[in-house]
Amino acid sequence: MWAILKKECKTYFASPIGYVFIGLFLAMFSILFYITTISQGVTTFQYVFFYSAMYSLVFIIPLLTMRMFAEERKNGTEQLLLTSPRNMIEITLGKFLAATLVILITEIFTLVYFGILCYFKTPDIPAVAVSMLGFLLLSMAYIAFGMFISSLTENQIIAAVVTIAAFVLTWLAPNISMKLVSFSLIEQFYPFVTGVFPIAETINLLLLTIMFIILTIIVMKRRKLVK
Amino acid sequence: MIEVKNVTKKYGNFLAVDNISFTVNDGEVVGFLGQNGAGKTTTMNMITGFIEPTEGQIIVNGLDIHKKPTTVKKQIGYMPEGVPLYTELTVKEFVKYMAELKKVSRKERKEKIELVLKETGLEEVANRQIRNLSRGYKQRVSLAGALIGNPEVIILDEPTVGLDPKQITDIRALIKNLGKKHTVILSSHILSEVSQICDKVIIINKGKIVAIDTPESLEKKTQSKNALLITVEDKENNMIKLKEEIPEILECKLIKDNEDGTKQYVVESEVEVDLRKKMFEVLPKKEITIFELKKAEQSLEDAFITLIENNTQEIKEEKQKDTRENQKKDKKEENKSTEEKKAKKNKSSKKENGGNN
């Protein structure tokens, strides 16, 4: 697993993808940071995470996930991976954790903004910590889903478009009918921002992540039979 | 040792590999021969565990690849078709990644990587990104990836495609060298390559094994006539009458009229008859000067084409037979139904007639 994790990280940062992802995210984060805190004169740093989850994460997560399996399949490197003495669980987890690591690195960068706020007034630290954790959990669920879509196709663009479409649909679902609220991951994330650690939502997001990781493993294992 | 037992692979209704069985012994170099789409790659993909057979069993060194995939895969080095590589990595990074994937222990890793890079002649480009390398080098990187970890079985899918002649001879020499210590399976459609490198040839056509044999005996088996190529100076055109002189000659054909006055003929006889001695005795008497005389040996290429053609013919004939039988059945059924109809008609007309009476 470590071998795959290491190589995937290398790929993120040997190609522009890793930098583009972090750059785009931080650009959006800066704008939202200015709008929601500086211009309002408040220090509710946790809300920046909420808005950036809504307005930027949804659109840029596919940058990390679209290539995961689709690229390997297209280039044929899938053969190298699947004929190596590694099982599907290791391969999938390695790839998943590499993308999660990129998110973690991005979150560390956002601490700079936290520092800026501290200059004015120390924000509510527990609330920020909980929302950062929630942000990570939400990203993990998104990554797992994006990875699953990537395992279904060999076309990266299709993987990206389907992933974004699914995210936007679940995001807007509660606007159509409140019955669909449980589909919306953003709604799952909202309680974290309030600063109270929500156990139910944490379990929910974790289960969702695990479910899509398992689905990916099943898809990849099944391909041996149908390919 | 690799045992392939009654393996079949279906894609929907398409039979890619049709009930094949063969064994590859330790230390053997085996070549898969076949036209494009014959099932070579599919078979290799099944041996390496990349895809699963629809039916049948593949056993590598006593272990079923389906039941013990990780143990078996560790013993196999695979160079897939079309040399897939992580082009964003450098050569060294790639080989290191492959070593890690194959669970080469940390202690040995560095040493083994150096060794493989040296074996495949990649030392000069070790720190260059793979995407910037030429095709020949990429091929070698792929080969290095297969060799790392010193696997007992090495499977190479078309290892020399797209290389220049110098690189081809290099790679062939390398494979031959590998054959001393490893079991090697390679596929190719270059026949001379297979006859040079391999101890055993497996010819596949349309998913079926046509022949398993050594290259030499395959050539012999498919030879139907003995042919001599003979270049002569023959001013009085006596060569045409040669058949009357030597009754064993089946055919004597002019194939080339050279500008310097010499002519080249091909003289054919039965396989068991060697005419060379007789030619030297008879021709001078007929005032024919021999410039050159040699036995035309049938190459593996001819053997391959004969086998494939025969096999394809057989398959076609079988199909025709089937369709003919089906047609016959259909006809019989048709006849039956028309007869029944007729019988019914007769009955009804009889009834009518009866009614009238």
Side-chain angles (χ1 to χ4, degrees), chain A residues 202-218:
Chain A
T202 304
I203 293 172
N204 228 336
L205 286 172
L206 276 178
L207 281 180
L208 216 62
T209 309
I210 293 165
M211 180 178 91
F212 280 114
I213 290 176
I214 291 173
L215 279 176
T216 311
I217 294 170
I218 291 171

Side-chain angles (χ1 to χ4, degrees), chain A residues 17 20 61 66 118 123 135 150 160 163-164 169 188 191 201 212:
Chain A
I17 291 177
V20 169
I61 276 280
M66 65 182 189
C118 284
F135 187 78
S150 178
T163 311
I164 292 177
L169 278 179
Q188 305 273 346
E201 274 76 10
F212 280 114

Side-chain angles (χ1 to χ4, degrees), chain B residues 96-197:
Chain B
K96 194 178 162 207
Y97 179 48
M98 291 314 285
E100 285 170 349
L101 277 184
K102 286 190 182 162
K103 301 183 177 173
V104 176
S105 70
R106 195 176 287 246
K107 276 186 209 160
E108 296 174 320
R109 209 177 285 157
K110 208 173 172 190
E111 195 184 317
K112 281 196 171 166
I113 291 169
E114 296 292 330
L115 192 76
V116 162
L117 288 178
K118 202 173 166 192
E119 256 183 326
T120 46
L122 286 167
E123 284 160 313
E124 298 160 33
V125 294
N127 291 317
R128 278 176 60 184
Q129 259 192 343
I130 295 174
R131 79 172 82 203
N132 299 327
L133 295 179
S134 70
R135 166 92 203 196
Y137 272 122
K138 278 184 188 163
Q139 203 108 350
R140 284 196 230 176
V141 176
S142 184
L143 189 61
L147 296 183
I148 191 79
N150 213 14
E152 287 164 51
V153 178
I154 294 166
I155 298 181
L156 311 167
D157 201 346
E158 306 203 334
T160 56
V161 165
L163 298 183
D164 68 39
K166 169 81 172 58
Q167 291 167 333
I168 289 181
T169 33
D170 285 354
I171 294 256
R172 278 182 197 162
L174 181 61
I175 294 170
K176 237 181 176 173
N177 207 14
L178 286 174
K180 287 174 193 160
K181 284 185 213 152
H182 307 259
T183 308
V184 182
I185 301 181
L186 63 96
S187 80
S188 176
H189 45 242
I190 306 167
L191 302 133
S192 58
E193 179 172 289
V194 171
S195 61
Q196 272 178 37
I197 311 174

